[in-house]
Amino acid sequence: QVQLVESGGGLVQAGGSLRLSCAASGRTISRYHVGWFRQAPGKEREFVSTTRWMSGSTYYSYYSDSVKGRFTISRDDAKNTVYLQMNNLKPEDTAVYYCAASDTPRITEQGTGETGTYNYWGQGTQVTVSS
């Protein structure tokens, strides 16, 4: 079993930055696909970004159109942690951000953006961007 704990959320003004962390325990996630999703009040959970394990230490990164160019996903396997650097935040980025991991050896590019791909989830961290 893998436990995921998100941190780093908070209140920030528009244009500001935050870095979210997803710390994993229980197992090493170096060969896991790890994604970030978010859910705003009254809306469905949506894909934000994923680091998809390909082979060895090769990963591909994916972003939703709404965050591309502003957010960067990265991972530190030594710390068993995945990060989401969020820059130039906008009020519409306000949501609870969830970290998710999948131990399925191979997933499709389409699958990286689907909640059903991931079998481990964190509890979420609130990000609020004021205008």
Side-chain angles (χ1 to χ4, degrees):
Q1 287 289 333
V2 172
Q3 293 78 43
L4 303 174
V5 178
E6 304 96 333
S7 62
L11 174 64
V12 64
Q13 289 188 332
S17 298
L18 285 173
R19 188 177 79 157
L20 304 184
S21 299
C22 173
S25 61
R27 290 184 180 175
T28 299
I29 61 169
S30 60
R31 296 190 175 191
Y32 282 48
H33 319 288
V34 181
W36 288 95
F37 290 77
R38 67 186 182 187
Q39 189 166 18
K43 295 187 176 181
E44 293 187 354
R45 193 167 297 188
E46 67 172 4
F47 166 72
V48 176
S49 179
T50 289
T51 171
R52 174 187 176 199
W53 178 70
M54 301 303 291
S55 65
S57 58
T58 300
Y59 305 93
Y60 287 178
S61 298
Y62 303 89
Y63 301 92
S64 67
D65 289 342
S66 62
V67 307
K68 198 172 296 182
R70 300 188 297 121
F71 292 10
T72 303
I73 193 168
S74 62
R75 55 198 305 161
D76 185 337
D77 289 339
K79 295 183 178 181
N80 219 28
T81 299
V82 174
Y83 303 98
L84 185 68
Q85 177 67 44
M86 307 187 296
N87 298 328
N88 190 22
L89 283 160
K90 303 176 180 181
E92 51 263 43
D93 294 319
T94 296
V96 177
Y97 283 70
Y98 297 90
C99 174
S102 170
D103 57 4
T104 301
R106 294 289 182 265
I107 62 173
T108 63
E109 180 174 343
Q110 179 179 352
T112 61
E114 299 174 349
T115 58
T117 295
Y118 302 88
N119 47 342
Y120 301 102
W121 290 84
Q123 82 290 348
T125 185
Q126 176 70 47
V127 171
T128 303
V129 185
S130 63
S131 57

